[in-house]
Amino acid sequence: MSNSKEIVPDTLPLLRDRIDSIDSQIQVLINERARCAQKVAEVKLAEQSDDVVFYRPEREAQVLRRVMERNEGPLGNEEMAKIFRQVMSSCLALEKPMRIAFLGPEGTFTQQAALKHFGKSILSAPMAAIDEVFREVESGAANYGVVPVENSTEGVVNHTLDSFRDSRLKICGEVEERIHHHLLVSPNINSEDVTHIYSHQQSLAQCRAWLDRYWPHAERVAVSSNAEAARLAADAGRSGRAVAAIAGEVACELYGLIKVSANIEDRPDNTTRFLIVGNQDVPPSGKDKTSLLISAKNEPGALYYLLEAFERHGVDMTRLETRPSLMSRWGYIFYIDFIGHYLDDACRAVIDELREKASEVKVLGSYPVAVL
């Protein structure tokens, strides 16, 4: 007789029992984490009488980076980080539910970016315009705001850059969202009968080649947002009119539409970068980015001398945008992004030199580089 222990092969009932046991352990640990979050809130309230800060962008970025670094699969790093993102969002809501203003209406890619960055345990506040997002946060009616700043194919969002001129808000974070456009219709509509396609003008531009190839005879109608296009398509469907919309996943679900075609954007790498704006300075996270607004002196070589400081101190500048200053004819201001935190020695040296050479240097904020 063999003394070796008999190996029992995995069976479906055994695997399901094991999953149930693991689920139970996970649930216990999540609630233990939630209780720790509640105690953190109690400690903060006891130690800080005024302006208690519950949301720490640098802390959350560090936690998510560690999640991705120690992940061993089979779930991918980003998928694992998204799970922890929602756990953190739910725990933070126990400390203090956050109200997040974003460029609306509901169902826009900006709301999608807000949910990606903060998780779903937030109070959503859709605003009609970018400047309204800024005002909502400045007034204290919202804790933070989310606004688009640039798209990989269509370029910079000038309205967002211009809003920083007179605002006291700081950039507290960034989030990058891969933009997938879908052609949507109401469930009771035959897609072959579609005569009009609604969407935001930028989305129509991002799908131009696809539309030229597959829907050359449909009239393209630009509206205020993709979410508005989805709402109009849903309303039209209820009255029997064959109207389609180009919008994202959130709008599709929100307005009960179905996908005729998915991922119709001309460039598969189409990505929009969004900024998180708030009233706080963010400490270093270990992997940060800084944004500046600079008004240059009107003299020969002014821009060269500004940029030369970055090269000499070894600071990586990632973006330079120019906007009219509105203060003088042919006057300009520059928006610059660079890698590093304004408290870093090299970054501080660059900013000090810029202040000597420029008419005005405004630090818009240092914030963690997008994790998700």
Side-chain angles (χ1 to χ4, degrees):
M1 180 180 293
S2 173
N3 293 325
S4 61
K5 186 176 180 180
E6 183 180 357
I7 299 176
V8 179
D10 286 334
T11 64
L12 194 56
L14 286 175
L15 290 172
R16 285 173 174 167
D17 287 344
R18 189 177 178 197
I19 287 174
D20 290 343
S21 176
I22 294 171
D23 286 347
S24 178
Q25 296 173 57
I26 292 173
Q27 187 172 350
V28 169
L29 291 173
I30 289 176
N31 279 319
E32 184 177 340
R33 190 191 196 282
R35 283 189 286 272
C36 284
Q38 289 177 315
K39 291 181 179 179
V40 167
E42 294 171 4
V43 171
K44 287 181 178 180
L45 290 169
E47 294 180 349
Q48 307 173 40
S49 56
D50 299 321
D51 299 325
V52 178
V53 177
F54 291 97
Y55 173 64
R56 297 289 300 273
E58 80 287 358
R59 163 69 177 161
E60 295 210 348
Q62 291 166 347
V63 171
L64 291 175
R65 287 175 197 152
R66 285 198 294 269
V67 167
M68 299 174 81
E69 288 169 1
R70 66 174 178 251
N71 184 44
E72 297 180 352
L75 287 178
N77 290 348
E78 186 169 329
E79 196 63 34
M80 181 63 74
K82 286 179 180 178
I83 294 171
F84 271 80
R85 166 70 277 173
Q86 183 52 44
V87 170
M88 294 160 65
S89 177
S90 298
C91 291
L92 183 60
L94 290 175
E95 298 181 45
K96 181 183 178 182
M98 292 193 300
R99 187 170 187 266
I100 309 300
F102 62 90
L103 179 61
E106 288 193 344
T108 60
F109 285 110
T110 311
Q111 183 184 26
Q112 200 165 299
L115 295 174
K116 181 178 181 180
H117 186 81
F118 290 101
K120 297 182 179 180
S121 300
I122 58 172
L123 304 176
S124 296
M127 299 288 119
I130 288 174
D131 56 344
E132 290 186 23
V133 174
F134 275 75
R135 285 196 295 270
E136 194 77 356
V137 180
E138 287 171 344
S139 69
N143 300 98
Y144 297 93
V146 181
V147 290
V149 68
E150 61 176 313
N151 177 266
S152 59
T153 60
E154 296 301 309
V156 70
V157 180
N158 290 325
H159 197 169
T160 294
L161 294 185
D162 293 344
S163 295
F164 283 108
R165 287 174 174 157
D166 301 316
S167 176
R168 58 179 174 79
L169 294 184
K170 298 285 187 178
I171 302 175
C172 300
E174 66 173 2
V175 57
E176 295 180 353
E177 182 73 10
R178 184 66 63 85
I179 303 300
H180 292 303
H181 294 300
H182 312 306
L183 186 68
L184 311 173
V185 297
S186 181
N188 61 322
I189 293 298
N190 185 344
S191 61
E192 296 180 358
D193 297 331
V194 167
T195 57
H196 293 73
I197 299 176
Y198 294 155
S199 194
H200 187 274
Q201 60 183 4
Q202 195 173 70
S203 298
L204 291 171
Q206 292 170 7
C207 303
R208 183 182 296 115
W210 188 90
L211 289 171
D212 288 345
R213 181 176 180 180
Y214 294 104
W215 294 84
H217 303 300
E219 182 177 344
R220 303 168 197 178
V221 182
V223 295
S224 59
S225 70
N226 292 345
E228 175 65 9
R231 186 190 67 79
L232 291 171
D235 288 347
R238 283 189 284 271
S239 62
R241 291 184 294 117
V243 169
I246 294 176
E249 196 72 37
V250 172
C252 179
E253 296 175 3
L254 183 64
Y255 293 100
L257 303 177
I258 60 173
K259 296 178 186 176
V260 177
S261 298
N263 301 347
I264 66 173
E265 60 276 2
D266 295 332
R267 294 184 60 90
D269 60 346
N270 182 21
T271 301
T272 296
R273 177 176 169 234
F274 299 85
L275 296 178
I276 314 301
V277 294
N279 289 291
Q280 72 194 84
D281 287 312
V282 179
S285 73
K287 189 177 181 182
D288 301 290
K289 185 183 291 185
T290 298
S291 297
L292 303 178
L293 180 155
I294 301 175
S295 179
K297 295 178 181 178
N298 188 12
E299 58 187 25
L303 179 57
Y304 167 79
Y305 290 115
L306 293 178
L307 302 184
E308 186 267 343
F310 290 92
E311 191 277 333
R312 186 153 33 81
H313 291 281
V315 174
D316 182 12
M317 187 179 69
T318 59
R319 177 159 291 275
L320 170 66
E321 297 289 346
T322 306
R323 294 292 297 150
S325 69
L326 304 182
M327 299 298 292
S328 62
R329 183 182 297 179
W330 310 122
Y332 293 92
I333 56 178
F334 302 99
Y335 293 87
I336 293 177
D337 292 342
F338 60 88
I339 299 299
H341 195 281
Y342 75 89
L343 293 177
D344 298 342
D345 290 341
C347 298
R348 193 193 303 240
V350 169
I351 294 173
D352 288 343
E353 284 195 26
L354 293 176
R355 293 191 193 280
E356 295 176 0
K357 298 174 181 178
S359 301
E360 178 189 8
V361 176
K362 182 179 181 182
V363 179
L364 301 180
S366 290
Y367 47 93
V369 172
V371 179
L372 292 174

